[in-house]
Amino acid sequence: MNARQPAFIAATRSARLRQMLVSNELEFMMEAHNGLSARIVREAGFKAIWGSGLAISAQYGVRDNNEASWTQVVDTLEFMADASDLPILLDGDTGYGNFNNVRRLVRKLEQRGIAGVCIEDKQFPKTNSFINGEAQPLADMDEFCGKIKAGKDSQSDENFSIVARVEALIAGWGMDEALRRAEAYRQAGADAILIHSKLSRPDEILEFAREWAGRGPLVIVPTKYYSTPTEVFREAGISTVIWANHLIRAATSAMQAVAKEIHSSETLVNVEDSIAAVNEIFRLQDADEYSEAEDRYLSSGRAAGAAVVLAASRGKGLEAVTEDRPKVMLPIAGKPLLRWLVDAFKKQGVNDITVVGGYRADAIDTAGIKLVVNEQHAQTGELASLACALDRVALDRVAQDKLTGDTVISYGDLLFRSYILRDLVESEAAFSVVVDSSLTDTENASVRDFAWCSAGDDRGLFGNKVLLRHVSSGQHASAAIASQAPHGRWVGLLNVREAGRERLQAVMSRLRARADFASLDMPELLNALIEAGESIEVQYVHGHWRGVNDLDDFRRAGDFAHGQAPFAATTGNAAKSTTNATNGATR
Ligand code: SPV
Ligand code: MG
């Protein structure tokens, strides 16, 4: 091994490990004991990882006495191999049994991309070499040679390496025995010899290396003779140095210090700047790759949708039950109305939910939502509330560098079957609304939200595009209603796809400039969009939703909600809810 070999980057991990073992350079391996530390080793610039038995046991909190099973060790290695593309040399202790266990171990390690295994000539279960080493029984030499041969015969990758570790110096059997065993293991097929010493000086290692005289690669673990200059190992012709346990020890002292400090000071303020930032953990976990994959694979590549829920009102006709809370916090079948809505959005993957509160906004449960408050709620209408929310959503998107995405705008007092929202968010149209064609009787309801469309709900025309023409508002109802019966009732759901967002903002800006903006509600926005030439697609439904506008609605909403819950309490309830739903809702 005198001539310098040409440097090359071998393709497979096992080939790279073998190259390190046979190269004329002094090479280094760093201990890792889990996925995170394996990644840290790679980032530090090391070319290979030592899968330390001591460190892997320690991170499980067990002793280095084969207390962790070999399959648990192999599972840990899988995380390490996933987290780092470096070759891993497993510290395989004694091979976890006889020759047959070694055969199976080698096959399993190859399957998980592990580059090699080191086995030591002690008896199973072993004890760490630095604990009473003299008392440790060695394996029978011939039996150990059988293990090496069995391992070599069972590998299918020619570059998989088996390193034979000689424990004769540790156990006090002397230099001659160490050399005798090393030679026997070399002849049995070992790709390298690991000669271990527990002395604080390198004398016996250097003597061994001299006597060995380059018969094969030598690996050392200078944990105890750590003060020896590395140049000494280089000059002695050592192939590879293993830094065997320094990351688990570094982590241990850092954790001890931080735990102690936080416990005694009862605050995080003293440690925050001296520990890894949470973002650093995310980086080591490759969180960015997940976000990119999410954009590629989730929701047909769309940015996750947002929802704006208008929930500022106390609710006319509900004064008796809304003294201390807004309408959206009324309990329906055991949970607040707003929670039903939020759950429905989350079920469709719409997780960025902004709720605009107003009346008793302090009573709104903010779990899983962002609350904005329309402070002027008593003097303003729905569009003023919507404006508060759109400003917030726009700001957030800029902050998150997410200028894409769809937004559902919803009344806060709705209950509906989940397909209604699913179909709405799947609509490709820039704007789309849900209209209930079963509600056309303007006599029995307030004049708001009736919808006139380009065609009625003719199921024979299924698949044809129907566009919204007009929605009745409290202000300008009469003119629209006069001429012909409506085609249904807008239920209070508007989906704005990414393509329509800027156009919605433009129309909102024009409306905001109007002197009467404070009095405008959602129908005025829909009509202004239509007047601006936008097409608003209609998705007809026939019942299957409820609004909560008065005490009567409130009472019936419970039945409807029960029908939405998994395994509805009774079939009677579920059936009743369907009937009620098609009976219509009022606003
Ligand atoms: C290990 O890292 O588990 C080793 C090396 O076997 S030593 O602890 O030094 O024996
Ligand atoms: Mg070990």
Side-chain angles (χ1 to χ4, degrees):
M1 293 215 295
N2 295 329
R4 285 178 75 87
Q5 293 178 352
F8 76 101
I9 303 289
T12 65
R13 303 194 212 214
S14 55
R16 280 182 276 152
L17 174 64
R18 179 65 65 76
Q19 176 62 21
M20 285 174 71
L21 291 174
V22 301
S23 90
N24 286 330
E25 304 287 327
L26 180 64
E27 306 279 3
F28 303 92
M29 277 182 212
M30 185 74 211
E31 168 260 314
H33 48 271
N34 56 22
L36 192 73
S37 54
R39 177 150 304 197
I40 287 169
V41 169
R42 186 192 67 178
E43 289 193 352
F46 284 98
K47 287 161 68 178
I49 290 172
W50 170 243
S52 160
L54 169 63
I56 291 173
S57 304
Q59 59 87 41
Y60 280 126
V62 298
R63 290 168 287 216
D64 189 12
N65 289 68
N66 298 116
E67 290 186 343
S69 73
W70 75 272
T71 54
Q72 287 170 326
V73 171
V74 172
D75 284 345
T76 307
L77 290 177
E78 186 172 33
F79 281 100
M80 291 163 60
D82 286 346
S84 160
D85 56 7
L86 294 185
I88 299 174
L89 176 65
L90 169 65
D91 170 7
D93 294 342
T94 61
Y96 313 112
N98 70 5
F99 75 93
N100 190 46
N101 301 86
V102 172
R103 295 197 300 184
R104 188 163 170 80
L105 175 66
V106 167
R107 286 198 296 270
K108 292 293 138 187
L109 292 177
E110 283 192 338
Q111 284 167 10
R112 304 215 188 184
I114 306 308
V117 64
C118 173
I119 51 174
E120 63 196 56
D121 56 358
K122 292 205 300 230
Q123 292 181 20
F124 179 88
K126 50 69 59 98
T127 292
N128 186 277
S129 303
F130 300 141
I131 300 177
N132 205 6
E134 308 272 342
Q136 297 189 16
L138 293 189
D140 173 80
M141 189 179 79
D142 293 332
E143 196 243 327
F144 194 71
C145 287
K147 278 190 190 176
I148 296 168
K149 283 196 190 106
K152 290 307 289 177
D153 286 348
S154 54
Q155 71 187 61
S156 51
D157 170 0
E158 60 172 358
N159 286 315
F160 185 88
S161 293
I162 296 188
V163 177
R165 167 165 159 177
V166 176
E167 289 282 286
L169 301 179
I170 295 285
W173 287 40
M175 187 60 66
D176 288 348
E177 179 67 9
L179 285 162
R180 194 173 74 89
R181 284 178 173 250
E183 178 57 19
Y185 303 160
R186 186 183 73 80
Q187 288 185 21
D191 297 294
I193 299 295
L194 189 158
I195 181 68
H196 205 13
S197 166
K198 58 179 190 266
L199 302 186
S200 56
R201 294 183 48 80
D203 302 10
E204 59 182 7
I205 290 297
L206 296 178
E207 186 187 342
F208 183 95
R210 256 192 319 275
E211 298 293 329
W212 184 249
R215 278 177 269 171
L218 273 191
V219 180
I220 59 169
V221 184
T223 304
K224 292 289 180 187
Y225 46 102
Y226 63 88
S227 59
T228 310
T230 300
E231 201 44 40
V232 172
F233 305 141
R234 200 170 264 124
E235 278 166 18
I238 301 297
S239 154
T240 302
V241 170
I242 294 174
W243 312 122
N245 46 42
H246 301 80
L247 294 192
I248 193 82
R249 287 164 61 192
T252 300
S253 32
M255 289 192 283
Q256 284 169 329
V258 169
K260 197 168 163 215
E261 169 57 35
I262 294 175
H263 180 258
S264 63
S265 64
E266 298 185 342
T267 172
L268 302 176
V269 74
N270 300 328
V271 303
E272 180 60 30
D273 292 341
S274 56
I275 60 178
V278 176
N279 278 343
E280 174 61 2
I281 305 295
F282 294 156
R283 188 190 68 75
L284 287 164
Q285 291 169 309
D286 217 353
D288 283 351
E289 191 280 334
Y290 178 82
S291 304
E292 282 164 28
E294 206 176 20
D295 289 347
R296 242 189 341 272
Y297 301 124
L298 273 185
S299 316
S300 349
R302 285 182 212 163
V308 171
V309 177
L310 303 175
S313 82
R314 175 173 185 175
K316 287 200 190 76
L318 288 161
E319 286 79 2
V321 285
T322 55
E323 197 158 318
D324 56 351
R325 60 192 157 195
K327 174 159 69 166
V328 292
M329 289 307 291
L330 286 176
I332 309 286
K335 65 178 175 180
L337 187 48
L338 179 63
R339 190 56 38 198
W340 285 98
L341 198 55
V342 168
D343 290 350
F345 279 121
K346 297 215 180 253
K347 192 167 165 188
Q348 302 306 328
V350 178
N351 293 314
D352 178 4
I353 302 168
T354 302
V355 175
V356 190
Y359 173 74
R360 290 306 310 261
D362 57 305
I364 291 179
D365 169 12
T366 55
I369 61 152
K370 289 166 190 148
L371 179 67
V372 297
V373 180
N374 174 7
E375 303 290 355
Q376 307 296 317
H377 66 93
Q379 299 85 41
T380 59
E382 290 155 5
L383 291 196
S385 290
L386 178 63
C388 298
L390 292 180
D391 290 349
R392 206 287 296 161
V393 171
L395 277 176
D396 266 19
R397 288 231 158 102
V398 173
Q400 295 164 14
D401 198 19
K402 275 193 178 166
L403 288 163
T404 57
D406 309 333
T407 306
V408 180
I409 299 168
S410 169
Y411 286 153
D413 57 1
L414 291 181
L415 291 168
F416 43 76
R417 291 257 182 106
S418 54
Y419 78 86
I420 293 181
L421 184 61
R422 183 202 61 198
D423 292 354
L424 185 72
V425 297
E426 284 180 1
S427 161
E428 294 294 328
F431 301 97
S432 49
V433 289
V434 180
V435 170
D436 184 350
S437 63
S438 72
L439 299 174
T440 54
D441 183 0
T442 54
E443 294 294 308
N444 290 342
S446 71
V447 287
R448 273 195 56 172
D449 294 350
F450 283 101
W452 285 261
C453 307
S454 62
D457 184 13
D458 179 348
R459 284 152 193 224
L461 293 175
F462 188 77
N464 278 13
K465 224 185 244 181
V466 175
L467 298 181
L468 188 68
R469 293 273 185 250
H470 187 82
V471 177
S472 61
S473 69
Q475 295 199 327
H476 313 287
S478 49
I481 292 178
S483 55
Q484 71 178 117
H487 296 100
R489 190 125 194 271
W490 178 52
V491 310
L493 286 168
L494 162 66
N495 189 40
V496 183
R497 291 293 301 270
E498 186 188 337
R501 238 164 26 88
E502 277 189 17
R503 279 130 67 189
L504 177 93
Q505 292 282 23
V507 169
M508 275 295 280
S509 299
R510 285 206 290 280
L511 291 171
R512 279 169 106 157
R514 271 170 54 171
D516 61 347
F517 178 67
S519 67
L520 302 184
D521 285 324
M522 284 300 292
E524 277 90 10
L525 173 62
L526 295 173
N527 293 332
L529 281 165
I530 294 164
E531 278 157 29
E534 298 297 347
S535 296
I536 303 179
E537 271 193 32
V538 170
Q539 175 191 318
Y540 276 125
V541 295
H542 210 76
H544 295 161
W545 69 285
R546 292 211 69 82
V548 178
N549 293 290
D550 53 31
L551 284 173
D552 210 28
D553 285 342
F554 176 38
R555 273 191 293 273
R556 281 192 300 220
D559 288 341
F560 181 82
H562 272 303
Q564 307 305 297
F567 299 107
T570 67
T571 26
N573 264 349
K576 205 159 84 191
S577 71
T578 311
T579 321
N580 278 345
T582 48
N583 283 346
T586 55
R587 186 168 303 283

